[in-house]
């Protein structure tokens, strides 16, 4: 480990609105991709949602995160 590894810039946090409860979450869980958009849910709501297609199932489409 180096000093640069400890004092470097922090990675950007990914935040997203939950698709079910609409709360802002700092731990978004991707649960599906529709029309080239990745949809996220909070950790509490993701077990209640049906998983959708994943980017691996449609490799020809470029996916963008759904950030609100």
């Amino acid at each position: 480990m180096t000093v640069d590894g400890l004092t470097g810039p922090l990675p950007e946090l990914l935040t997203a609105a939950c698709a079910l409860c609409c709360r802002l979450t700092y731990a978004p869980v991707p649960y599906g991709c529709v029309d080239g958009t990745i949809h996220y849910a909070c950790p509490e709501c993701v077990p209640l949602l049906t998983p959708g297609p994943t980017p691996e199932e449609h490799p020809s489409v470029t996916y963008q995160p759904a950030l609100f």
Side-chain angles (χ1 to χ4, degrees):
M1 182 171 291
T2 64
V3 174
D4 291 335
L6 296 172
T7 59
L10 296 174
E12 186 175 327
L13 293 176
L14 175 63
T15 59
C18 176
L20 189 61
C21 68
C22 298
R23 290 183 298 171
L24 184 66
T25 178
Y26 292 101
V29 179
Y31 73 91
C33 305
V34 178
D35 296 330
T37 303
I38 299 173
H39 294 276
Y40 293 96
C42 64
E44 293 85 18
C45 293
V46 78
L48 305 174
L49 297 168
T50 304
T54 62
E56 292 81 25
E57 293 175 354
H58 301 285
S60 62
V61 178
T62 303
Y63 289 96
Q64 300 295 325
L67 302 177
F68 299 93

